[in-house]
Structure formats: C-alpha cells, structure tokens
Amino acid sequence: MSDEVGLPEAVSMAIGGMVGGGIFAVLGVVAGAAGTLAWAAFVVAGVLAVCAGYSLLRLNSLCESPRSPVGYVERFTDDNTTLAGVVGWTFVFGYVGTMAMYAYAFGGYFVELTGVSTVASVSIQPFVSALTVAAFVSLNVFGAHASGRAEDVLVGLKVAILLVFGVGGVAYGATHGGLGFGLSNLGIGPLVAAAVSFVAFEGWELLLFDQENIADPRETVRKAIYISIAGATGLYILVALVTTNLAGIDAIQQHAETALAVAARPFLGQAGFVLISVAALFSTGSAINATLFSSARLSKRLVADDLLPSRLRDESADEPIRPLVTLGVLAAGFAFLGSLDAISSFASLAFISIFGGLSFLAFREREDLATAVIPAVGTVGGVGSATALLWHLFDAERGTFWTVLALAVVVVGVELLYFEREAIADEVRSAERRVENEL
C-alpha cells in the first residue's frame, strides 16, 4: 500500500487545519464585531481565502516542480532570500499566534466545564492554557503524533458535532420564532469581523508545504484546497447563524471564548453545553498538536535553508526538538499574557499579510484577464482587510491595537535584523577599519 496521501486524506488534513480549533476560538470575537451578521463575515473571509488559494496554486503551477509558498517568493522575486525569509518567519509567528489562540480557548472551555475559575483568588485560565501547550510540546518531543488514518476519524468527529449543532440549531430556531440574518444592520462590521476571522481559514496552505508526500500533488492539492475552503466556509456560516441567534450578542460578548457552548443550551440543554465544551477541548487540543507538529517541521526546513537562526538546528535529533520547544515557549507566553482579541487579531494580521502579498505576486505573473482578476481581488482584499482590522482596533480597542502593533513591530524587526546581520557586520567592520586608518 502506498504511503502517499490521496485526495480524501488531503481534504481531511486541510479541513482539520481550519476547523480544528478556529471556529471554537474565534467565533465569539467575530460575533462581537459583526453581531448577527457574523455569518456574512465568514462569507467575505471565505472569498478572500479562495482568492489566496487560487493565487498560491497559480504560483505553484508556474514552478518547474512543486514548491512551498516560501519557495514561490524566491522563484518569482529573482531569488530574494531576504524576502522569502521574512515570509517564512511570518508564517512561523502566525502559527505561534494561532496556537496561542487555541490554547486560550482551551483554557476558557476548561474553566467553564469544570466550574473552577480561580484558585486562591488567582485566575487559572492562563495557567491551563500555558500548561496545555507544554503538554503537547512534550508529546511531540517524544515523537507522538496522530497517523493520517486517525486524523481522518478525528476530523470527521469534529465536523459531525458541529453539523449536529448547526442543523439542530436551525431546526430549533425555525420552530421558535425563526432565525434572523441581521440584514437590516448592514455596515462595516462584517468587513472588520472578516479580517478578525481570517485566522479561522488558515490550515489549507499546509498542503503546499508537504507536496512531496501527496500523490499527484498538483491536482490533488488543487482539488483539496478548493473543497476544504468551500466546506469550512459553509460550516462556519451555519454555526455563526445559529450561535448569534440562540446565544444572543450580549451573552456572546460576555463569554467570547465559549460562545458555541453557550448557544447550545437553548435547544440541547446542559448536555449540549457539556457536549460542545468537550468537543471544543478536544478540537483546540488536537489543533495545538497538529499546528505545533507542522510548524516545527516548517521551522526545521527554514533552518536548513538558513532562513532561521542556525542555533535552532539539532543535528543529533530525529525530531526538531529545538524548534518545538522554542515555538511552544512563545505560544505559551502569548496565551498566558495576551487577550483573545489581541492574539486572534495578531494571527489574522499575519496570515492576511502573507496571503495578500502572495496574491500580489500571482497578479504580477498574470498572463491574461482570467489569471489577473482573482489575484487582484485577493490583493485588494488583503490590503483592505488589514487596514479595516487595524482601524477597528485603534478606534474601538486601543489597548489591543497597541499590543498587536507592538507584536508586529517586534516580529518584523527581528526578521529584518536577522537577515541584515551580515550587511550590518560588514558595515561595522568597515567603520572600524576606517577609524584604524585615520589613527
């Protein structure tokens, strides 16, 4: 039997990467920004995700052999390794933010489910979130990860639970006054919320980093990306519609990280609350594990290409232990110190920047109108989403805005300093020689 991944497994991997924990973690934040139009925010974000998917697949098809998204930057910018490295670093930090978001949500559901929120008047949620990341770092260090067949089952279970929640919620709403679509409240809210929700659509791009293990990679990855984005978008719309109608916006804002479980109570009672909470713990936990596993291996590749510091290299270990521990420490720190708004906004901004930039790269490589329109929409949508997100944070959540901006400046600053270190060193040596000559 071939070890190569086929279309069903590829679709499962992509959907698992998106649905695994994103909807449980980010829905409350999206609903807080868009209200009953949260479903429309997922439509907008889904369209942008499709544009990004098309753009990356377009760049992949133009390469002589399948490459990763970081490879596209090198290939279509005249081997600009600095720019490629910045994209690689941004991917890594985006995954760190995503893991922190999952961990934060895990802590929130754990507290709600157990009913224990404080010990000695100290909130336990940050400690639960950080310890959860530490636990999965330990598992990965010892080489424990789910097989592809097991992942198919796990993803199927998570999607099934969300479908039961969505279909059951629609049936309940239809017999208890109907469901409102919020169309009378049209405004900028859904556009801002779409930017915040973008992190819930990351995950499909991981297929492009693992094409050597996929059967007929160009065709299989193409189909899997489109199927998974469409499926995730439909599921998000259904869940958002039910949650905002049954839980109510006030309740969602008070319990942003556990919005789905709160929405399950009206038609499934306490059993529904427990079911969704357990599913959320399971989903966010497995999402931390999968993202940690994938991002650590991505980091290992970037180290091998000298796009990350060589100190992360560990030649004596089969598993990328140093990247695992480093990424785990960063994610645990984010989850412990950050807020859900700040973490999800930072992660969304990272992926909006990457996918918007790659869409622009695809637009530059256009051959005709057909290959120009979708990348153009992706590019404009990326710029517009990033602008809308930052403006919303500055206007409504000033503290979160400064936190996200500070994180972005630190990440970009570290990236640029790393890639310009040789040039800076050369300038310093030249200056020293000039001083010596003058003396």
Side-chain angles (χ1 to χ4, degrees):
M1 180 180 294
S2 173
D3 292 330
E4 290 187 323
V5 173
L7 180 60
E9 291 79 16
V11 171
S12 176
M13 290 166 61
I15 290 181
M18 287 185 283
V19 178
I23 191 64
F24 291 101
V26 80
L27 178 58
V29 180
V30 174
T36 51
L37 280 170
W39 64 270
F42 286 114
V43 172
V44 175
V47 170
L48 293 180
V50 169
C51 291
Y54 174 88
S55 297
L56 268 68
L57 289 168
R58 166 79 178 150
L59 294 173
N60 196 47
S61 69
L62 292 175
C63 294
E64 297 77 12
S65 58
R67 291 195 182 196
S68 71
V70 177
Y72 306 152
V73 178
E74 286 188 285
R75 167 67 175 78
F76 297 106
T77 59
D78 298 324
D79 293 322
N80 188 328
T81 55
T82 297
L83 186 57
V86 168
V87 171
W89 278 62
T90 306
F91 261 120
V92 171
F93 278 100
Y95 291 134
V96 167
T98 302
M99 285 187 286
M101 183 185 71
Y102 295 153
Y104 193 100
F106 185 99
Y109 277 100
F110 180 89
V111 166
E112 289 289 333
L113 189 60
T114 60
V116 179
S117 59
T118 60
V119 174
S121 300
V122 176
S123 174
I124 68 169
Q125 179 174 338
F127 295 94
V128 172
S129 298
L131 288 173
T132 301
V133 176
F136 284 111
V137 169
S138 299
L139 285 174
N140 277 272
V141 165
F142 289 105
H145 58 274
S147 68
R149 189 174 296 277
E151 186 66 16
D152 288 347
V153 175
L154 301 181
V155 171
L157 179 61
K158 288 180 281 189
V159 171
I161 291 173
L162 288 173
L163 284 174
V164 168
F165 169 83
V167 174
V170 168
Y172 178 87
T175 57
H176 290 75
L179 299 176
F181 288 87
L183 295 178
S184 60
N185 300 318
L186 286 174
I188 197 172
L191 298 179
V192 172
V196 176
S197 72
F198 202 78
V199 68
F201 285 90
E202 74 81 21
W204 54 265
E205 77 287 346
L206 290 171
L207 294 178
L208 292 163
F209 284 108
D210 199 30
Q211 294 182 76
E212 65 270 18
N213 295 318
I214 297 176
D216 189 12
R218 292 193 192 274
E219 188 64 17
T220 300
V221 169
R222 183 183 67 82
K223 291 179 180 178
I225 285 177
Y226 289 137
I227 292 171
S228 62
I229 292 176
T233 302
L235 188 60
Y236 290 166
I237 292 170
L238 180 64
V239 170
L241 187 63
V242 169
T243 302
T244 54
N245 275 272
L246 298 188
I249 302 304
D250 291 340
I252 290 174
Q253 291 177 335
Q254 293 174 9
H255 305 277
E257 64 269 30
T258 57
L260 265 72
V262 172
R265 274 200 175 113
F267 67 99
L268 293 175
Q270 184 61 20
F273 178 87
V274 172
L275 174 65
I276 295 298
S277 296
V278 171
L281 289 174
F282 184 75
S283 295
T284 52
S286 65
I288 293 170
N289 187 55
T291 306
L292 183 62
F293 181 84
S294 299
S295 58
R297 278 146 186 79
L298 169 60
S299 299
K300 186 176 181 179
R301 292 185 186 182
L302 295 176
V303 170
D305 294 336
D306 198 31
L307 299 179
L308 283 179
S310 58
R311 291 182 180 180
L312 291 176
R313 183 180 290 112
D314 191 350
E315 302 291 356
S316 62
D318 293 331
E319 297 292 328
I321 293 177
R322 289 183 183 175
L324 279 168
V325 173
T326 302
L327 296 175
V329 168
L330 289 172
F334 275 28
F336 188 87
L337 298 173
S339 67
L340 184 59
D341 281 345
I343 294 169
S344 58
S345 296
F346 170 75
S348 286
L349 186 61
F351 288 107
I352 287 171
S353 301
I354 292 171
F355 293 139
L358 288 170
S359 292
F360 175 70
L361 205 57
F363 176 76
R364 278 182 36 182
E365 300 299 322
R366 65 191 182 277
E367 295 178 352
D368 49 35
L369 183 62
T371 58
V373 172
I374 296 179
V377 173
T379 303
V380 174
V383 173
S385 296
T387 304
L389 175 58
L390 291 173
W391 173 252
H392 165 71
L393 294 178
F394 180 80
D395 183 57
E397 300 179 37
R398 195 67 58 88
T400 301
F401 170 80
W402 291 118
T403 301
V404 171
L405 187 62
L407 289 171
V409 168
V410 168
V411 169
V412 173
V414 170
E415 291 169 348
L416 294 179
L417 283 174
Y418 175 76
F419 288 106
E420 296 297 330
R421 68 197 185 285
E422 292 298 334
I424 293 172
D426 288 341
E427 290 179 7
V428 171
R429 285 191 289 268
S430 297
E432 289 175 345
R433 285 194 293 270
R434 286 197 300 269
V435 172
E436 290 174 357
N437 293 333
E438 291 174 0
L439 295 175

